[in-house]
Amino acid sequence: SDADVLGADDLPSVVRLGGTAQQNTPPPMSGVGDLREHLRDYEAELIVSTLSACGWNQTEAARRLNLPIRTLTHKIATLGLKARFPKG
């Protein structure tokens, strides 16, 4: 039956995105800084690594991150990630 078949959505994001668990593991925390700061840094790195894996295609990155495109573009702007895009 279909309930016995695994699909791509059943796999961890690290597998779906083609990375390794180590790439998606946040850096060790030094114990300094607040939770919001660490989450912001991790979110920024996850977005940049996903964009890079998608050839900087924002629509595809939004799909892989399961975000509406408007949310992704807002996060890119508010996290200041535009400067990390390849020049071209």
Side-chain angles (χ1 to χ4, degrees):
S1 77
D2 287 334
D4 297 330
V5 178
L6 288 176
D9 290 337
D10 298 313
L11 300 173
S13 63
V14 65
V15 174
R16 288 193 319 268
L17 296 175
T20 66
Q22 189 174 38
Q23 288 174 325
N24 289 333
T25 303
M29 292 188 188
S30 64
V32 182
D34 66 21
L35 177 61
R36 282 181 226 95
E37 181 182 332
H38 290 292
L39 289 174
R40 178 184 162 104
D41 292 345
Y42 181 64
E43 182 178 41
E45 288 305 315
L46 183 60
I47 290 170
V48 169
S49 67
T50 303
L51 281 164
S52 179
C54 296
W56 300 92
N57 181 310
Q58 293 180 31
T59 302
E60 177 61 18
R63 187 189 68 73
R64 289 187 186 188
L65 292 167
N66 197 29
L67 292 173
I69 185 68
R70 288 182 60 144
T71 301
L72 179 60
T73 56
H74 177 75
K75 288 180 179 290
I76 289 168
T78 59
L79 294 170
L81 302 179
K82 209 56 158 157
R84 295 172 71 176
F85 280 39
K87 305 292 184 228

